[in-house]
Amino acid sequence: MIPRYQRILFWSLVAGILLMAAFLLHGCEQAHKRLATPNDPTPIAAPTSSSTEDVTLYLANDADASITPATESFALPQEPSARARALIEHLLSTYSLPASAHPLQGGAAVDDVFLLTDPQPAIGARPGQLAVINLRGSFLDNHPSGIQVETLTVQSIIGTLHAAFPQVTAIRFLVDGQPHDTLAGHADLLHTYPATDTTAKPIPPSGN
Amino acid sequence: MNRVAPAQQPLPRTVIFLDPAHGGPDPGAHLPNNLLEKDLTLAFATRLRALLASSGFTMVSTRDADPTVSFTTDQRAEIANHGHSNACLVLHATSSGNGVHVITSSLTPPNELDGPHTTVPWNAAQSASIPQSLSLANEIGLSLQRAKIPVILSRSSLRPLDNLTCPAVAIEISPFTSPDGDRTPVTDATYQQNIAKAIAAALTSWRSRQIPVGAAK
């Protein structure tokens, strides 16, 4: 006959083993979920003493080819060129988030933004500044190729810059300091784009 | 008294310019299954050409094979413009988006106050044809919708589209994702054939609208 205290000890140990097994399984599942989730490459925001401000980003969506303004709050430098560069970098880094509707690879995309007095404003256009955006070749190398996807990137940049810098009337692109024909084989980068509100919601074909 | 049936007038010659984009050293986009955009646009152009020829269209194409040295976008536009094409289709393919993207040039039509003899810059050659191009894009969009293929009509600054003087659209084939989540790749032959049929039907309908009333009688 097994003494009572030994039976209690035995069942207590069994219960402990079962609890530990359940805890281990739960831990394994959590670790698996963490590893299976796409990595968020967004760098942690550097500590800053400057105050944040509301900025409008024109966000593209590949599924319906729309561009929608969205307000975000973050710190930006005050010097205009550095401000424009930081703004476009922030916009493009948004597209590298796992839930992006217009997925692009992360990493530095813009070398410089120059804000110049437009020497040749279009006939009938109001005088203003010309923004020259110098993109990095590595950004182009990793950009998806296609008319719509490239056009959405260009229009997203134009709309965001236009909202933050209303004095900019025209936008040009360079790549590694040189004129370049296309973004990734399609969208024209030799064209001087008018700086406008690029909000877009394509309408379906109409049958009249 | 015997009535003689009126002789059926032949349809006026309608020239369609087909430009399978990229080619030669320019591969275009890298698509699934190691396929290049230049090869897919060429295969799709071949399908479309066969359907359009059977509908009585005359075709001008920038390439029927993969050349060692391909035409530049300016040379492609010159071929279309010198051929006095009635409609121009620039064919592309991508692995992003859903369905078919029908793209018209983002140029604006010239100001009527400028007069009819204003010199048109090469980079804005398409501007005078924008209303007809939008009409053509709408016709193709409707036909694709009838074929239950998702379609997005949009505008873009794109070569050689901006340099063409004919009514012109770029057609970009992207994968088809059904509402159930089933994904049909751009490489699917049936999917391509359905798109080609829809475009051929749209051009036939568009041609019937373009023919002057007198020409049909």
Side-chain angles (χ1 to χ4, degrees), chain B residues 34-113:
Chain B
N34 290 325
L35 192 70
L36 298 173
E37 185 183 2
K38 66 172 183 176
D39 297 325
L40 193 141
T41 56
L42 184 60
F44 182 74
T46 308
R47 283 179 193 282
L48 187 57
R49 194 162 40 225
L51 289 169
L52 291 175
S54 65
S55 301
F57 289 99
T58 305
M59 253 74 63
V60 173
S61 183
T62 51
R63 63 186 179 104
D64 326 325
D66 190 19
T68 316
V69 180
S70 66
F71 289 124
T72 63
T73 52
D74 282 351
Q75 287 170 328
R76 290 167 196 250
E78 280 174 20
I79 294 168
N81 296 344
H82 289 157
H84 300 288
S85 310
N86 297 87
C88 298
L89 305 181
V90 181
L91 307 173
H92 284 268
T94 183
S95 51
S96 62
N98 183 27
V100 178
H101 311 143
V102 182
I103 296 127
T104 316
S105 167
S106 57
L107 292 167
T108 48
N111 191 340
E112 284 181 12
L113 296 174

Side-chain angles (χ1 to χ4, degrees), chain A residues 62-65 144-149 151 155 181-182 184-191 193 202-208, chain B residues 22 28-29 37 92 94-98 101 103 107 138 141-142 145 151-159 162 170 172 209:
Chain A
D62 289 347
D64 59 1
S145 181
I147 304 172
Q148 182 181 282
V149 71
T151 303
Q155 294 299 318
D181 53 356
T182 62
H186 301 89
D188 192 352
L189 288 192
L190 296 174
H191 186 73
Y193 288 89
I203 50 169
S206 60
N208 53 359
Chain B
H22 309 290
E37 185 183 2
H92 284 268
T94 183
S95 51
S96 62
N98 183 27
H101 311 143
I103 296 127
L107 292 167
N138 190 65
L142 283 173
Q145 264 189 348
V151 60
I152 290 176
L153 306 184
S154 61
R155 312 272 306 260
S156 179
S157 181
L158 180 75
R159 292 162 195 261
D162 289 352
E172 184 175 60
R209 289 175 198 238

